[in-house]
Structure formats: structure tokens, C-alpha cells
Amino acid sequence: MKRPGIRGQLTAWYSLILALSLAAFCCIAYLAMGYSFRQTLQSELTERTEGVRDIIVEDGPQGRAALADELSEFANGLGSGGRLRVTDARGLLFASPGMTKSLEPSGLMTRRPWRQWIDGASFMLLRQNVVVSGTPYDVTMAVATGDFDRTLKRGSTILFAAAPVFLVLAALGGYWMSRRALVPVDQMTRAARSIGAQDLSQRLEVPPARDELARLAETLNEMLARLDSAFRKVTQFTADASHELRTPVAVMRTSAELALRRQRTESEYREALSQILHQTGEVSQLIENLLGLARADSGAAQMQMERTDVGALLADSCDKSKLLAEKQGVTLCRNGLNTPLWVQANAASIERLFTIVLDNAVKYTPSGGRIEVLLNVKDDFAVTEIRDTGIGISPHDLPRIFDRFYRADRARSREAGGAGLGLAIGKWIAEAHEGEIRVESKVGQGSSFEIWLPLAAR
Ligand code: ADP
């Protein structure tokens, strides 16, 4: 079965609670009205009995006949709404019509009033023992309840008939109100539905009132902003990656086409093939880097960490880069601690990080320059510093060199075989080790990269 919408549910709950409250109110009002009528009748009975006592006090000494006359006059004064019966030790003194015999249900003297039908009409009766000058009198007073009964009936009819009408009106009002309250939600749903993957820059309108709906719209807008930024990054990354792959592939294609255009000598074929092989190496490297970053993004690149000596890793990386440096006429020297410095790390990744920074230092330092590698301990971190006397990085480029595909000097970097991914990967490796990579640089003077890795607990 289909669940009713929020509007229906709100109205149903609201109507149910209102129906219960109305029913409780009607019952309480009915009981309170009845109680108040009974109290009024009861005090009237007591008052009239007091009137009879006064007559007995005044006319009792003048004999039974005189007293009976006075009582009869009193009873007449009560009209059709009141009746009276008085007896003394000798028997009946006076009785209104319908009250000639004792009326009390239990036959016992009582101070509590009771109800009874007399001559087809409803009465409330009270029987009391009145003692005047030592002589006991038995006084039964009756008062008609017809008027009160009719008023009570009319009142309760109005109450119980009006309640369902109120209930229906209130339910309709409740439904209308919940509709009004939920209109902004409908608007937001329509707006959110119209936002596609192509126009994530659109935002939902935030209602002016600072309420739950405004907060919902703001939260959705923040989510849209995050999605938009992530989507842009992915699009940019795909575009950059395709662009980077296109160049070496085009070079390979051209080399192959040129080689095949006419008959060539063996050495010419060899040259074409070695050119293609060189480009294949670059493409493989690029794909390797792209895959590494994609795995890092998806969180799939789980690194196996173990206690590792950073000094040993740095020494290995320096030895590998030394050859390249010498070929370029750059001096590479390593200084600093020679005792082991233990960090919790993935050795292959840390070596890769060192190689990225060292290779960059070699790439961007002209012949005759110098690269200095230092290892120190600062604030529970193993800090590797790689300083070069190279071309340096301008303040404009400095904050962006860790971005993917960012190259400060495009021509030179490409010439050196870089795609602008090295430092992005390096940054990710440092952060995966809860460390960081910092840079300082001056154009024309050189750059200094610091790699901070937390020392392992002893
Ligand atoms: P690439 O593969 O192009 O070297 P990286 O991400 O490793 O890419 O570096 C990004 C950019 O930072 C480089 O293109 C270069 O312009 C600049 N850069 C990095 N290291 C140095 C350095 N030691 N000296 C000068 N510029 C550097």
C-alpha cells in the first residue's frame, strides 16, 4: 500500500490529536455542566428545607392544624416546580400531590438527595430530620429537574454536534497549512531536478527566512559546490591527460609514417624504431603516473608501511640521480646525519618521492650548478632538504607547482620530459605518510625542497 505523503500524514496526525482533544473537552464540559446543575438544585433543596424549619418554629406552637395550613401555603408558593411532605410523631402533617406516602427508596433517613419520578415528572428530593424545641419533624423537599435536564440535553447536543464540524474545518485548515509550509520543498525539488551534470554551477534559491528549509537549501548548495569542484577537477584531469598522451602518440605516428614513406636503409629504420621506443617509454611513464594518481584518488592505493631508515633510502636515491647529474655537469653532494633515522614508511614510495625531487633539481639546474642533499631531525620529524642552484621558481608559479599537470616553464619542462605530475605524486606520497613537502625558491638563484616525515616511535 502506498504511504500517504508528508502532507497527508501531518493532516491525519493533527486531526487525530484534535479529535481526541475535542472528545475529551466535550465529555469534561458535559460532566461539569451536570455537576453544576446538581449543586444548584441541592442548595435550593437545603434553602427550602430551612424555610420549612422557620415555619415550624413560628407556627408549631399554634397547633398541628395551623401549622398544616402554613405549610400548605408555603408549598403553593413553590409552584409546580416544588413539592413538600412533612410528618411528625403523630403522622402526616402536610403532603403535596404525589407525596402522600414516604418516597425514600431505601426507607431510611438520608442527608443525600436522590432523583425520582413523581406524576410523570423528574424531581430531586431531600429528606431531613428537623428538630424544633425537642420535637422531631420529618421533612421531604422535592424540586423539579425538568428545566435543568432540558438545558443539559440542549447543551450537550450542541457540543457533540458542533465538534465534528470543527474537526472537519480544522482538518481542512491543517491540510492547507501543511501544503503552504511544503511549497518551498516542492520548489526545491523541481529546481534540484533541473540541475544536470552539465550545469552543476547552478544553485538552489535559499528562502529568506532563517529556518530549516533555508538550512536545507544551503546544505544542498554546499554539496553542489563540492560536486561541481570535483567534477571540474575530473574533467580537467581527463583533458590534460589526453593532451599529454596525444603528443608522444603523434610523434610515434609521424616517425612510423615517415619511415614507411619510401624504402629506407637499415640504420634509418633503426633510428625510427628507437625514436618510437623512446616515446613509448614516455607514454608508459605517463600512464604509470596517471594510474598512481587515480588509485590514490579512489583510496585503492593501500601502502604497506614498515620501519624504514630514511637515510639509507636517501643514499640509494642520490646514487641513482648522481649519474644523471654528472651527465649534465651538475655536482650532487650529500651531507648530514649518518646514523639511521627510522620512520614508518613504504620504502618504494619514499624512494620515488626522493627521486622526483632529485630529478627535478637535476633537470632545472644548468651545467656547472650544484645540488646539496641534507638530512636532519626537527621536532620529531626526519627532514630531508634538497637544495639546488638552478633556475628557481617565480612567486606566481610557486603555490601551483604541486598541482597536477602544472609546469612553470612549459617549453623547458617538456623538453626535460616532464608532464607536470611528479610533484603532485610526491605531495600525495608525503601526505600519505602524514608528512609534508615544502618549497622555497628564488628565480635565478635556486630552489630548496624540504620533505618532512614523522619519526617512528622508538
Ligand atoms: P615536471 O614533470 O614538469 O617536472 P613536476 O610536477 O615535477 O613536473 O614539477 C612541476 C613544475 O615545477 C615543473 O614543471 C617546474 O617548472 C617546476 N619545478 C619543479 N622542481 C623545480 C626545481 N628544482 N627548480 C625549478 N623549477 C622546478
Side-chain angles (χ1 to χ4, degrees):
M1 203 177 86
K2 204 176 148 227
R3 255 169 81 89
I6 293 182
R7 230 168 280 155
Q9 286 185 44
L10 274 178
T11 313
W13 277 108
Y14 170 70
S15 308
L16 180 71
I17 292 167
L18 190 71
L20 291 175
S21 315
L22 269 176
F25 169 75
C26 289
C27 291
I28 291 169
Y30 178 78
L31 292 175
M33 228 167 16
Y35 177 76
S36 149
F37 288 169
R38 270 196 306 282
Q39 289 298 105
T40 312
L41 287 168
Q42 221 166 309
S43 58
E44 213 169 306
L45 283 172
T46 318
E47 246 171 55
R48 286 181 184 180
T49 307
E50 281 305 307
V52 171
R53 173 196 284 275
D54 292 348
I55 292 170
I56 296 171
V57 169
E58 210 169 293
D59 299 305
Q62 290 165 34
R64 292 187 86 235
L67 180 58
D69 278 350
E70 281 305 317
L71 288 171
S72 161
E73 206 170 308
F74 178 80
N76 283 340
L78 296 176
S80 60
R83 300 200 180 185
L84 174 68
R85 172 192 157 88
V86 183
T87 58
D88 63 1
R90 287 164 58 193
L92 189 66
L93 260 170
F94 172 79
S96 300
M99 297 200 42
T100 41
K101 53 182 181 10
S102 177
L103 292 160
E104 196 175 6
S106 61
L108 289 168
M109 290 299 281
T110 176
R111 299 195 134 263
R112 292 170 63 83
W114 75 95
R115 272 175 171 262
Q116 195 164 336
W117 289 87
I118 300 170
D119 299 339
S122 170
F123 280 86
M124 183 180 266
L125 296 94
L126 180 69
R127 182 176 175 180
Q128 277 188 314
N129 196 19
V130 176
V131 182
V132 176
S133 315
T135 313
Y137 295 87
D138 181 0
V139 179
T140 307
M141 185 64 72
V143 58
T145 62
D147 283 351
F148 289 101
D149 288 342
R150 272 189 294 282
T151 311
L152 188 63
K153 198 167 171 203
R154 212 176 303 136
S156 61
T157 311
I158 292 171
L159 263 183
F160 287 100
V165 178
F166 276 126
L167 186 64
V168 171
L169 287 176
L172 289 174
Y175 186 74
W176 177 78
M177 263 170 12
S178 52
R179 253 183 92 97
R180 252 182 75 104
L182 291 172
V183 163
V185 177
D186 284 342
Q187 283 170 349
M188 244 185 260
T189 311
R190 272 198 298 277
R193 203 173 279 157
S194 71
I195 298 176
Q198 303 316 314
D199 53 1
L200 282 171
S201 56
Q202 268 194 58
R203 294 290 174 268
L204 299 176
E205 204 177 306
V206 179
R210 310 294 317 145
D211 57 8
E212 289 84 351
L213 290 174
R215 280 203 296 283
L216 177 66
E218 278 166 5
T219 312
L220 286 174
N221 280 344
E222 282 162 20
M223 191 181 79
L224 277 173
R226 285 197 298 274
L227 279 176
D228 191 17
S229 145
F231 201 74
R232 272 174 207 277
K233 271 190 198 155
V234 171
T235 318
Q236 186 63 41
F237 186 70
T238 317
D240 288 343
S242 320
H243 182 80
E244 290 304 323
L245 284 168
R246 207 164 57 182
T247 316
V249 171
V251 173
M252 280 192 271
R253 195 190 163 98
T254 317
S255 305
E257 275 171 358
L258 274 176
L260 290 172
R261 196 163 278 173
R262 57 179 172 80
Q263 195 68 33
R264 306 266 175 194
T265 62
E266 196 189 319
S267 70
E268 280 174 327
Y269 280 129
R270 272 185 182 282
E271 197 187 327
L273 279 175
S274 73
Q275 211 169 357
I276 290 171
L277 196 63
H278 172 73
Q279 294 295 333
T280 325
E282 261 187 36
V283 173
S284 306
Q285 181 62 43
L286 185 61
I287 290 172
E288 190 78 5
N289 286 345
L290 288 173
L291 267 177
L293 283 172
R295 271 199 221 109
D297 283 347
S298 69
Q302 274 289 329
M303 283 187 194
Q304 284 295 327
M305 305 281 193
E306 54 196 356
R307 233 173 120 80
T308 314
D309 176 16
V310 213
L313 294 180
L314 187 61
D316 283 354
S317 309
C318 283
D319 290 346
K320 282 181 201 149
S321 299
K322 212 167 188 145
L323 283 173
L324 194 70
E326 276 166 10
K327 232 168 82 183
Q328 288 220 171
V330 175
T331 323
L332 195 159
C333 59
R334 188 163 58 86
N335 289 311
L337 295 172
N338 270 328
T339 47
L341 272 188
W342 298 103
V343 293
Q344 202 61 24
N346 178 274
S349 305
I350 295 295
E351 247 190 280
R352 185 155 184 220
L353 164 57
F354 289 151
T355 309
I356 288 168
V357 182
L358 281 168
D359 282 359
N360 275 349
V362 175
K363 263 195 283 183
Y364 302 108
T365 304
S367 171
R370 180 182 165 81
I371 299 167
E372 214 174 325
V373 181
L374 297 156
L375 179 60
N376 275 310
V377 174
K378 285 185 204 166
D379 307 332
D380 290 336
F381 280 83
V383 183
T384 307
E385 202 180 331
I386 298 170
R387 267 189 231 151
D388 64 54
T389 56
I391 57 168
I393 306 160
S394 74
H396 167 258
D397 294 319
L398 208 54
R400 300 161 75 186
I401 55 168
F402 295 101
D403 292 351
R404 291 170 187 191
F405 296 107
Y406 190 80
R407 289 179 295 220
D409 180 346
R410 299 216 147 227
R412 187 190 270 265
S413 173
R414 181 182 291 284
E415 198 181 290
L421 287 177
L423 287 178
I425 294 171
K427 182 172 184 257
W428 171 70
I429 293 174
E431 283 170 0
H433 285 79
E434 287 166 17
E436 62 174 309
I437 173 162
R438 300 176 187 171
V439 58
E440 276 176 24
S441 186
K442 277 211 172 88
V443 178
Q445 290 185 20
S447 314
S448 165
F449 284 81
E450 275 185 357
I451 298 155
W452 291 59
L453 296 171
L455 288 170
R458 264 169 237 268

